[in-house]
């Protein structure tokens, strides 16, 4: 049977936390490519698809907003993401 990987939720929560902390400490704005490389540097590197899914999840939770500008997904921290 397919069992969920117990470490996957922990791994994803660490990735989400790093994105939110980076946004809060460095101007409340970034882009998907920056986070892709940043998370890789920390040893938390996701695939591009997994990063998109994570950013979608954070956006649905109201912690970030994002928009596509040229080839980048520009991400902004919301008030809820700061709290």
């Amino acid at each position: 049977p397919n069992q969920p990987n117990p470490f996957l939720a922990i791994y994803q929560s660490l990735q989400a936390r790093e994105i939110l902390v980076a946004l809060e400490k460095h101007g409340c704005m970034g882009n998907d490519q920056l986070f892709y490389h940043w998370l890789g540097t920390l040893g938390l590197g996701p695939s591009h698809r997994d990063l998109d899914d994570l950013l979608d999840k954070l956006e649905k939770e109201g912690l970030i907003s994002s928009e596509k500008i040229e080839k980048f997904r520009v991400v902004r921290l919301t008030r809820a993401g700061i709290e």
Side-chain angles (χ1 to χ4, degrees):
N2 274 344
Q3 299 266 335
N5 180 342
F7 297 107
L8 185 59
I10 295 168
Y11 193 75
Q12 290 171 335
S13 69
L14 290 172
Q15 290 171 325
R17 179 182 176 278
E18 288 301 327
I19 289 171
L20 295 173
V21 167
L23 285 168
E24 187 174 4
K25 289 187 176 186
H26 302 287
C28 295
M29 189 167 67
N31 67 65
D32 55 346
Q33 293 304 307
L34 172 73
F35 294 124
Y36 177 78
H37 292 292
W38 172 242
L39 292 171
T41 300
L42 297 176
L44 295 171
S47 69
H48 289 286
R49 175 180 232 159
D50 287 345
L51 179 59
D52 269 346
D53 290 346
L54 178 58
L55 294 175
D56 287 345
K57 181 177 183 266
L58 292 173
E59 193 161 17
K60 283 179 188 162
E61 292 173 358
L63 302 174
I64 64 167
S65 64
S66 73
E67 64 180 310
K68 194 78 167 174
I69 299 180
E70 295 182 18
K71 63 179 182 170
F72 298 103
R73 182 175 181 176
V74 176
V75 178
R76 290 179 176 82
L77 193 60
T78 64
R79 171 162 278 156
I82 293 172
E83 297 170 355

